[in-house]
Amino acid sequence: MPLTQDASLVLASSSRWRRELLDRLQLPYQCYSPDIDETPHANESPKALVHRLALSKANAVAERFPDHYIIGSDQVAVFEGDILGKPHTQERACANLARFSGQRVTFLTGLALLDTRQQRHYTHIEPFYVVFRSLTEREIERYVALEQPLDSSGSFRMEGLGITLFEALEGRDPNALIGLPLIALCSMLRQVGISPLGAE
């Protein structure tokens, strides 16, 4: 049976950026931070990794929210065969951006919607591509010092000064680059009877 506009949603994330994106849908939701190990498994592909982590984040809070729809999301950058997550240090952030200078980098965002009532889930992987302009060492160091993007995959924040690093953006949904692919999420929510625009 389709749910009403006040269906219970939970965002399994501690990211303020994902919260700000979900706020745009004007749906009521709760937020709870999942506690999971994000270390890649041996020989795990980037797509398999973001799929597993997005679903793991949703599952990690399922016991606390047994009558809800839980949203999980995770993102990695992929460059020259390497999976790059959050840099955590200024040195690593600078090193990542130096590698990306003048290059095209793939970003994969895994999305999961877990229905704890029916014990079913929906998943999606959204690709997005960033073409970096040629960056000088001074630009990179200044950017990292100013924005401190240490908790962001790719070592930048698109919603801030990160936009100054790019030559072009390529993909269906630029929200995916911030961490929550809203077009895919809206499609999932409609499948379970939830729509920001109300009943059809």
Side-chain angles (χ1 to χ4, degrees):
M1 176 178 175
L3 295 175
T4 62
Q5 197 71 0
D6 18 290
S8 296
L9 284 177
V10 177
L11 177 63
S13 177
S14 58
S15 166
R16 62 170 278 207
W17 313 112
R18 289 193 176 104
R19 290 198 303 270
E20 288 179 4
L21 286 172
L22 190 55
D23 285 345
R24 291 172 54 186
L25 300 186
Q26 300 183 34
L27 292 168
Y29 71 93
Q30 302 175 65
C31 197
Y32 194 85
S33 180
D35 182 18
I36 67 166
D37 181 0
E38 300 185 20
T39 306
H41 292 167
N43 302 315
E44 189 172 30
S45 71
K47 287 185 177 180
L49 174 62
V50 294
H51 176 276
R52 176 176 62 82
L53 293 182
L55 195 53
S56 293
K57 287 180 178 181
N59 279 318
V61 303
E63 187 173 328
R64 183 176 289 268
F65 299 98
D67 201 29
H68 295 73
Y69 290 92
I70 304 173
I71 301 164
S73 186
D74 195 81
Q75 182 187 78
V76 296
V78 184
F79 184 65
E80 296 179 335
D82 293 334
I83 297 174
L84 304 170
K86 300 171 183 176
H88 298 299
T89 68
Q90 290 197 26
E91 293 74 19
R92 194 170 296 137
C94 288
N96 286 343
L97 292 175
R99 287 185 70 188
F100 296 163
S101 178
Q103 303 296 317
R104 184 175 186 261
V105 181
T106 300
F107 289 82
L108 297 175
T109 305
L111 176 68
L113 181 66
L114 175 64
D115 176 357
T116 56
R117 306 178 199 208
Q118 303 294 327
Q119 291 301 304
R120 61 183 177 181
H121 66 265
Y122 307 82
T123 58
H124 174 76
I125 297 172
E126 187 76 29
F128 202 84
Y129 308 92
V130 175
V131 181
F132 285 80
R133 63 182 181 83
S134 294
L135 303 169
T136 67
E137 183 178 349
R138 180 168 181 173
E139 284 178 318
I140 290 171
E141 290 176 353
R142 178 161 173 75
Y143 170 73
V144 172
L146 286 171
E147 194 141 70
Q148 295 288 309
L150 309 185
D151 60 349
S152 299
S153 295
S155 305
F156 65 82
R157 293 200 179 111
M158 178 193 167
E159 61 279 9
L161 270 176
I163 197 71
T164 65
L165 307 174
F166 308 151
E167 186 73 34
L169 300 174
E170 304 169 359
R172 177 177 77 144
D173 187 351
N175 299 298
L177 194 56
I178 303 175
L180 191 64
L182 292 181
I183 293 175
L185 177 59
C186 285
S187 177
M188 287 181 180
L189 291 174
R190 286 194 298 270
Q191 289 184 66
V192 298
I194 303 172
S195 171
L197 301 180
E200 297 182 3

